[in-house]
Amino acid sequence: MWKKPYSYREGFVIDVGLILVGAMLQLSMGALDWDIFMWPANIITLAIFVLLTVIVYSRRSKSYFLRFMTTPRAAVPAIVVVVFLTLIMGLTKQASPQSMTNDPIGLSRMLSFWPFILTYVWMTAIVGQEAMWQITHASRHQWASLLSHVGLFIVLTCGTLGSADMQRLKMYCEQGKPEWRALDAYNNVKHLPIAVQLEKFTIDEYPPKLMVIDKNGVPIPAKKPETLLIDSTFKGGDIQGWHVTIKKRVDNAMPAALVKMGNSIPTEMMRRLRLDSLGQSLNKEGYLPTQNPGSECALLVSATKGSEKHEGWVTCGSYQFAYQGLTLDNGRSLVMGQREPKRYASLVDVYTEDGKNLQTTIEVNHPLTINGWKIYQLSYNEEMGKWSTLSVFEFVRDPWLPVVYIGILFLALGAIGLLFDTRKKTNIE
């Protein structure tokens, strides 16, 4: 071993050595804290790394080991080890840097795991040396390979060092109140140069579903409950031996007595409606349409099985009143599951410190981009459902992302160039 020329065996030994050194660093120092690379530390680190890459390349003629770095015998083992550690990361549940774990090794935070970091840096150094060789030796016909190596080097370095400057913040917006503050992962309050005022929250729900539960409230069958989708075309259907028909449907409904009382019953009392005499009397009177906050879909259903027949109201309930099911046989009941959201969005007014003012809609997978920030619809008050007066937004800012995109563009152009170059060689042959 270590006799010239070096083989793949020496390449793997280098990587094993880096893993052992990383393990000692992990045990002695703990995981790497990437916050130390926040601006301007990351740009300084990048400049030093690029300078070292140039210096190392300028000295390669005097060192066999430095020349070895630009050979497949060094690159292939480095890639194999990094891919292997990445595979472990994919198969291991990863924890955020802020959460507590019982992982003494550090595999649950692979991006801060020293063996992974050292092997990653080694692979990046190899890519840097190859990029330098391409810059100094590549002819105009080898532009595709040059772009590929330079693009990969940009992605590996800027994507890693730039992650320290990425910000993810949560903003809780109440309807009608402009909000400038957000919370970071440690629940520290951050004042933003952007304010958001929630004007209206809207939600589109999937049609209600009916299911049968046992006396313990477990859906039947337990592992894969049988359901009836009550869409606009539903006329009747069979579930667990019962034929169900809809006699009346009220999409926005409340107990009739509650509507007559002007929604004056306290919410906590409404949650106990099914447990007291007041609730029984309210349910017997049925449900009326209303646009009051807290209204929910109610169905007057008929369930028959042979000569047995049951009829009554079924609703999933809301934060204003409890759910109601239709009692069947053997302690089983026909109930409506909680409505599932299909789409939810927030109509907002957005203000910035530099004088911008716009009204727009933010919804899931359709973020708003403004002043370098992306604003995502993250959540809402799930207890209130479609009547929520609260929206939770996620603010994401990654100032290094445009540079990473440039690297990806170089990679894409290089891949296209290599593809055409391969086709030309095939045609010539």
Side-chain angles (χ1 to χ4, degrees), residues 169-189:
L169 307 173
K170 280 185 182 180
M171 175 182 285
Y172 294 82
C173 261
E174 294 185 19
Q175 189 169 321
K177 298 179 180 179
E179 183 61 75
W180 294 86
R181 300 164 300 172
L183 301 176
D184 64 12
Y186 300 96
N187 288 325
N188 296 317
V189 177

Side-chain angles (χ1 to χ4, degrees), residues 169-170 344 362 364 376-380 391-394:
L169 307 173
K170 280 185 182 180
Y344 53 90
I362 302 174
V364 178
Y376 295 85
Q377 174 77 53
L378 186 62
S379 185
Y380 57 97
S391 277
V392 183
F393 300 107
E394 182 178 47

Side-chain angles (χ1 to χ4, degrees), residues 113-127:
F113 186 50
W114 276 105
F116 179 79
I117 293 169
L118 293 184
T119 53
Y120 184 92
V121 170
W122 170 242
M123 183 186 71
T124 304
I126 292 174
V127 173

Side-chain angles (χ1 to χ4, degrees), residues 242-256:
W242 291 87
H243 183 72
V244 177
T245 57
I246 306 299
K247 303 181 74 67
K248 186 177 181 181
R249 173 173 179 160
V250 185
D251 283 311
N252 290 293
M254 275 188 170

Side-chain angles (χ1 to χ4, degrees), residues 118-324:
L118 293 184
T119 53
Y120 184 92
V121 170
W122 170 242
M123 183 186 71
T124 304
I126 292 174
V127 173
Q129 290 301 304
E130 182 62 28
M132 287 296 303
W133 190 93
Q134 293 287 341
I135 291 172
T136 55
H137 289 81
S139 65
R140 62 186 181 88
H141 301 292
Q142 296 175 305
W143 62 268
S145 180
L146 171 62
L147 282 180
S148 297
H149 285 89
V150 172
L152 182 58
F153 184 76
I154 292 173
V155 171
L156 291 175
T157 54
C158 297
T160 304
L161 293 171
S163 63
D165 288 334
M166 179 185 290
Q167 290 182 276
R168 288 184 178 272
L169 307 173
K170 280 185 182 180
M171 175 182 285
Y172 294 82
C173 261
E174 294 185 19
Q175 189 169 321
K177 298 179 180 179
E179 183 61 75
W180 294 86
R181 300 164 300 172
L183 301 176
D184 64 12
Y186 300 96
N187 288 325
N188 296 317
V189 177
K190 302 290 184 179
H191 291 268
L192 296 175
I194 301 173
V196 177
Q197 179 172 310
L198 176 64
E199 296 297 334
K200 185 180 180 182
F201 175 79
T202 57
I203 186 169
D204 297 331
E205 297 175 317
Y206 285 103
K209 293 180 181 179
L210 297 182
M211 66 184 72
V212 176
I213 61 174
D214 61 21
K215 61 182 179 180
N216 296 318
V218 178
I220 304 173
K223 292 184 178 179
K224 191 176 181 181
E226 183 181 354
T227 61
L228 287 177
L229 183 67
I230 314 300
D231 57 16
S232 57
T233 63
F234 182 84
K235 302 297 182 183
D238 297 319
I239 183 171
Q240 294 296 306
W242 291 87
H243 183 72
V244 177
T245 57
I246 306 299
K247 303 181 74 67
K248 186 177 181 181
R249 173 173 179 160
V250 185
D251 283 311
N252 290 293
M254 275 188 170
L258 179 59
V259 176
K260 294 175 183 177
M261 297 173 66
N263 201 18
S264 59
I265 303 177
T267 300
E268 290 301 321
M269 184 181 294
M270 295 306 301
R271 289 174 177 165
R272 301 192 296 270
L273 284 181
R274 297 185 71 252
L275 304 179
D276 54 30
S277 58
L278 174 61
Q280 294 173 8
S281 64
L282 287 176
N283 291 338
K284 285 180 179 179
E285 293 188 43
Y287 293 79
L288 292 177
T290 178
Q291 291 300 318
N292 288 343
S295 62
E296 191 50 82
C297 180
L299 303 173
L300 180 59
V301 301
S302 174
T304 59
K305 183 168 68 172
S307 59
E308 191 174 358
K309 181 177 180 180
H310 299 276
E311 184 176 305
W313 287 93
V314 175
T315 177
C316 61
S318 72
Y319 71 98
Q320 286 283 31
F321 60 94
Y323 83 95
Q324 183 179 351

